[in-house]
C-alpha cells in the first residue's frame, strides 16, 4: 500500500523532524534525492536509450525556482548536478530566492537569470535536456500566477524531461485540483510521503511517474488520508477457495438487474460475477432478461420475479440496480433487498431510485454504492462538474451522508468509508469508458461481498481487478506493446481470469 498525507500532517511531521536535525539538513536530504532521480533520467535519456551525450556530464539542466523551500530544494539539487558536470541554469521567478541554495549553485559553477531577463529564460528552456520545477510547493493553492504560468507554458513546449519537485506547481497537494495553469511533469519526486493530489486526477495526470524519496518523516506522520493499493494488498482482500470449499461456502451473490427493456446490464453484471469467482450466482429479473442470462451464462441459477424476491433462494450478498428500471416495481424490489441484513451493492438505476428514497440507506448491514459523477451529484444535490473537480471531497462527503461505502467511478476511481483513508485505484484505462463496464464491476464486487470481504476491501479489490482487466483487454496479446485497442464490456468480462492470475495467489 502506498500512503498519502495531507499538507497539514506533512508540515507537522517536518517541524517535529527538523527540531532534531541541524539547520538545513532536511532540505539537503530532499535535494539529494531529487538530484539522484534527475541524474538517472539524464543517464537513460528521454528516449530511454543510453548513449553518448545523454549522461549528467554536459547536460543542459534548467531550474524553475520559486520563493519557497521548493526553490531551495531545486537549487541544492542543481548544485549536485553541476558538480557532476551538468550545465545548470536557474531561472529565478519568485519575489525572493533561497540564499543558501543560490550560493551553493553558483559555487558549483551554475548560473542564474531572472525570469524577466528578456529572452534568456526562454532560450535556456528550449535548450534544456532536463527541467526541474521548483516554483511552488505543497502549500500552493489555485492556478499559477505570473511569471510562473508563463514559465510553465514554455516548459510544456520544450523537448526536455520535466521533473517536479515534491509536486507539480499548480496542483493542489490535498485534492489534485488544477485551477488554471499548471506544470505537466514527466516525473514527480515527492518527499517523505505521497500527497493525495498525486494520486487523483487531474493532479495525477500532471504528476507523471511519481518517485518517493525517504527523508525520515515516517515516525512523525499521523494516520494517512489516502492510500493506493498494490497487487499484494488486493491478493489479501479477495476471498480464496480452500480445499474443502463448495459452491455455497465460496459465496453466493444474488444479482437483481435488467428488465424487459434493458437486458444487456443483466448479462454483463452476471458475467462479472461468474468470471469473478462466485461459487454460484443467483439471478432475478423480468422474463426476457432471465432468458438472455440463461443463454449467455448457463451456470447462473435464474428466477423470474415480479414484485417479490421470496422465491429466489438463499444468497450471501446482493447486487441491485443495473438496468432494473426506476419505476414502482424497481423501488419495491430495491427496498426488499435493502431491508435484509446482507451486504448490498447498489448501482445504476438503483442509485436513481435512492435519490428519492435515501431513507432506504439507513441500515446496519454493509452497503456499497458505485456511482459515476453524475449519479453522485444527484444523490448529493450538487453538479457533476463539481464532483469531477473535487473527487476526494465529494466521495468523503457521500460516505458520511449516505451511510455507505462509496466507490466513485471515473478517470480516477476513489473509494471512501467513514473513518478510513480514501482508497485510490491505480489501475484502469480510458478504454473502460464504455457502456456496460460498470455493470461488470458491480457483479465482480458482489462476488467479494458474498465471499465475506469487508465492504471497502471488496470495492477496492473489484476496482483494481476491473481496471486491470480493462488494460489487458485493450492491450491484446502483444507483449510489451503500449498500443491499446477499443474494447467492449464483454471484453472486460473475458479478461478477468487473466487479471486474477497477475496476483499470483
Amino acid at each position: 500500500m502506498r500512503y498519502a498525507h495531507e499538507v497539514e500532517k506533512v508540515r507537522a511531521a517536518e517541524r517535529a523532524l527538523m527540531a532534531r536535525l541541524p539547520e538545513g539538513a532536511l532540505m539537503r536530504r530532499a535535494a539529494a534525492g531529487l538530484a539522484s532521480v534527475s541524474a538517472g533520467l539524464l543517464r537513460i535519456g528521454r528516449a530511454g536509450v543510453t548513449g553518448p551525450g545523454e549522461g549528467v556530464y554536459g547536460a543542459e539542466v534548467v531550474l524553475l525556482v520559486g520563493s519557497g523551500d521548493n526553490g531551495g530544494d531545486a537549487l541544492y539539487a542543481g548544485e549536485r548536478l553541476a558538480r557532476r558536470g551538468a550545465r545548470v541554469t536557474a531561472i529565478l521567478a519568485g519575489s525572493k530566492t533561497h540564499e543558501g541554495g543560490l550560493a551553493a549553485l553558483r559555487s558549483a559553477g551554475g548560473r542564474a537569470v531572472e525570469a524577466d531577463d528578456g529572452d534568456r529564460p526562454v532560450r535556456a528552456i528550449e535548450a534544456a535536456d532536463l527541467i526541474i520545477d521548483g516554483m511552488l510547493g505543497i502549500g500552493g493553492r489555485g492556478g499559477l500566477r505570473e511569471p510562473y504560468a508563463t514559465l510553465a507554458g514554455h516548459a510544456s513546449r520544450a523537448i526536455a524531461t520535466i521533473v517536479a519537485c515534491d509536486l507539480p506547481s499548480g496542483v493542489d497537494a490535498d485534492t489534485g485540483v488544477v485551477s488554471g495553469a499548471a506544470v505537466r511533469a514527466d516525473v514527480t519526486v515527492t518527499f517523505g510521503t505521497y500527497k493525495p493530489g498525486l494520486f487523483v486526477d487531474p493532479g495525477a495526470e500532471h504528476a507523471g511517474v511519481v518517485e518517493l524519496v525517504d527523508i525520515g518523516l515516517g515516525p512523525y506522520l499521523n494516520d494517512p488520508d489516502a492510500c493506493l493499493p498494490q497487487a499484494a494488498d488486493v491478493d489479501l482482500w479477495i476471498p480464496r477457495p480452500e480445499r474443502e470449499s463448495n459452491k455455497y461456502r465460496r459465496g453466493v451473490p444474488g444479482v437483481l438487474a435488467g428488465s424487459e427493456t434493458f437486458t444487456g446490464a443483466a448479462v454483463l453484471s452476471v458475467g462479472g460475477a461468474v468470471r469473478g469467482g462466485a461459487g454460484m450466482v443467483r439471478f432475478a429479473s423480468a422474463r426476457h432478461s432471465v432468458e438472455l442470462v440463461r443463454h449467455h451464462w448457463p451456470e447462473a441459477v435464474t428466477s423470474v420475479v415480479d414484485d417479490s424476491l421470496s422465491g429466489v433462494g438463499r444468497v450471501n450478498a446482493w447486487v441491485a440496480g443495473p438496468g432494473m428500471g426506476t419505476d414502482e416495481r424497481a423501488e419495491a424490489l430495491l427496498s426488499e433487498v435493502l431491508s435484509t441484513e446482507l451486504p448490498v451493492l447498489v448501482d445504476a438505476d438503483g442509485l436513481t431510485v435512492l435519490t428519492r428514497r435515501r431513507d432506504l440507506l439507513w441500515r446496519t448491514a454493509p452497503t456499497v454504492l458505485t456511482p459515476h459523477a453524475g449519479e453522485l451529484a444527484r444523490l448529493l444535490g450538487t453538479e457533476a462538474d463539481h464532483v469531477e473537480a473535487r473527487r476526494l471531497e465529494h466521495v468523503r462527503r457521500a460516505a458520511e451522508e449516505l451511510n455507505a461505502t462509496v466507490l466513485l467511478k471515473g478517470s480516477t476511481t476513489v473509494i471512501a468509508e467513514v473513518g478510513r483513508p480514501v482508497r485510490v485505484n491505480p489501475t484502469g484505462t480510458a478504454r473502460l469508458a464504455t457502456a456496460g463496464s460498470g455493470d461488470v464491476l458491480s457483479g465482480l464486487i458482489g462476488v467479494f461481498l458474498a465471499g465475506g470481504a469487508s465492504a471497502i476491501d471488496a470495492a477496492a479489490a473489484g476496482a483494481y481487478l476491473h481496471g486491470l482487466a480493462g488494460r489487458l483487454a485493450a492491450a491484446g496479446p502483444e507483449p510489451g506493446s503500449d498500443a491499446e485497442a477499443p474494447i467492449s464490456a464483454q471484453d472486460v468480462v473475458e479478461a478477468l481470469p487473466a487479471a486474477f492470475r497477475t496476483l499470483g495467489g
Side-chain angles (χ1 to χ4, degrees), residues 287-367:
R287 184 172 300 279
H288 189 32
S289 285
V290 166
E291 291 170 350
L292 287 172
V293 167
R294 283 175 179 165
H295 175 72
H296 282 86
W297 303 109
E299 306 94 331
V301 178
T302 61
S303 301
V304 176
V305 297
D306 186 14
D307 56 3
S308 173
L309 299 170
S310 58
V312 171
R314 184 177 177 180
V315 301
N316 303 108
W318 278 103
V319 173
M324 68 183 289
T326 60
D327 57 12
E328 291 183 1
R329 170 187 171 276
E331 182 177 324
L333 291 172
L334 182 62
S335 178
E336 183 177 350
V337 164
L338 288 169
S339 68
T340 69
E341 293 301 315
L342 297 172
V344 176
L345 179 146
V346 184
D347 185 33
D349 287 345
L351 297 171
T352 300
V353 172
L354 289 178
T355 60
R356 63 177 186 264
R357 291 295 311 276
R358 279 178 55 165
D359 60 293
L360 296 177
L361 290 170
W362 294 107
R363 57 196 304 265
T364 57
T367 308

Side-chain angles (χ1 to χ4, degrees), residues 129-458:
D129 298 303
L130 183 136
I131 298 170
I132 295 178
D133 162 34
M135 292 188 290
L136 286 182
I138 60 176
R141 293 289 187 273
L144 293 178
R145 300 174 179 85
E146 295 299 345
Y148 296 162
T150 294
L151 290 174
H154 289 315
S156 69
R157 293 186 289 274
I159 62 171
T161 299
I162 300 177
V163 180
C165 177
D166 216 6
L167 86 162
S169 297
V171 172
D172 188 294
D174 288 346
T175 66
V177 170
V178 174
S179 303
V183 169
R184 287 185 177 270
D186 297 297
V187 176
T188 294
V189 180
T190 199
F191 308 128
T193 181
Y194 296 97
K195 285 73 185 178
L198 297 174
F199 289 170
V200 181
D201 281 336
E205 183 182 6
H206 283 69
V209 176
V210 180
E211 298 280 354
L212 176 65
V213 171
D214 182 4
I215 57 173
L217 290 187
Y220 307 96
L221 288 166
N222 290 326
D223 293 339
D225 299 289
C227 55
L228 198 77
Q230 306 297 294
D233 303 305
V234 176
D235 197 30
L236 292 174
W237 296 336
I238 61 174
R240 294 283 189 182
E242 299 176 351
R243 287 179 63 86
E244 296 189 5
S245 294
N246 59 41
K247 62 186 177 184
Y248 299 109
R249 289 180 180 175
R250 290 184 64 185
V252 180
V255 178
L256 175 62
S259 58
E260 290 293 345
T261 305
F262 302 108
T263 57
V267 173
L268 292 166
S269 55
V270 171
V274 170
R275 289 282 192 254
M280 182 172 74
V281 180
R282 293 191 187 274
F283 174 70
S285 189
R287 184 172 300 279
H288 189 32
S289 285
V290 166
E291 291 170 350
L292 287 172
V293 167
R294 283 175 179 165
H295 175 72
H296 282 86
W297 303 109
E299 306 94 331
V301 178
T302 61
S303 301
V304 176
V305 297
D306 186 14
D307 56 3
S308 173
L309 299 170
S310 58
V312 171
R314 184 177 177 180
V315 301
N316 303 108
W318 278 103
V319 173
M324 68 183 289
T326 60
D327 57 12
E328 291 183 1
R329 170 187 171 276
E331 182 177 324
L333 291 172
L334 182 62
S335 178
E336 183 177 350
V337 164
L338 288 169
S339 68
T340 69
E341 293 301 315
L342 297 172
V344 176
L345 179 146
V346 184
D347 185 33
D349 287 345
L351 297 171
T352 300
V353 172
L354 289 178
T355 60
R356 63 177 186 264
R357 291 295 311 276
R358 279 178 55 165
D359 60 293
L360 296 177
L361 290 170
W362 294 107
R363 57 196 304 265
T364 57
T367 308
V368 178
L369 308 180
T370 56
H372 55 60
E375 290 164 336
L376 188 62
R378 290 193 291 274
L379 283 165
L380 296 179
T382 185
E383 300 296 326
D385 58 348
H386 294 170
V387 175
E388 287 282 14
R390 297 183 176 273
R391 303 182 68 79
L392 290 174
E393 173 187 328
H394 285 91
V395 77
R396 287 177 176 136
R397 175 187 163 194
E400 185 170 351
E401 289 188 14
L402 303 176
N403 187 41
T405 301
V406 181
L407 181 153
L408 174 58
K409 295 179 285 197
S411 60
T412 306
T413 292
V414 290
I415 305 110
E417 190 173 274
V418 173
R420 307 287 293 273
V422 174
R423 294 188 184 176
V424 182
N425 184 50
T427 65
T429 166
R431 300 290 187 181
L432 282 168
T434 186
S437 173
D439 304 324
V440 179
L441 175 62
S442 294
L444 179 60
I445 296 173
V447 172
F448 301 152
L449 290 172
S454 69
I456 194 166
D457 287 351

Side-chain angles (χ1 to χ4, degrees), residues 83-169:
R83 292 194 185 282
R84 297 178 62 176
R87 293 191 288 268
V88 182
T89 301
I91 300 175
L92 309 181
S95 57
K96 59 182 181 179
T97 302
H98 191 283
E99 292 182 2
L102 183 58
L105 175 67
R106 283 175 166 157
S107 71
R111 59 178 183 158
V113 299
E114 297 291 337
D116 59 359
D117 189 3
D119 65 351
R120 292 180 67 193
V122 177
R123 286 190 283 110
I125 289 171
E126 289 175 346
D129 298 303
L130 183 136
I131 298 170
I132 295 178
D133 162 34
M135 292 188 290
L136 286 182
I138 60 176
R141 293 289 187 273
L144 293 178
R145 300 174 179 85
E146 295 299 345
Y148 296 162
T150 294
L151 290 174
H154 289 315
S156 69
R157 293 186 289 274
I159 62 171
T161 299
I162 300 177
V163 180
C165 177
D166 216 6
L167 86 162
S169 297

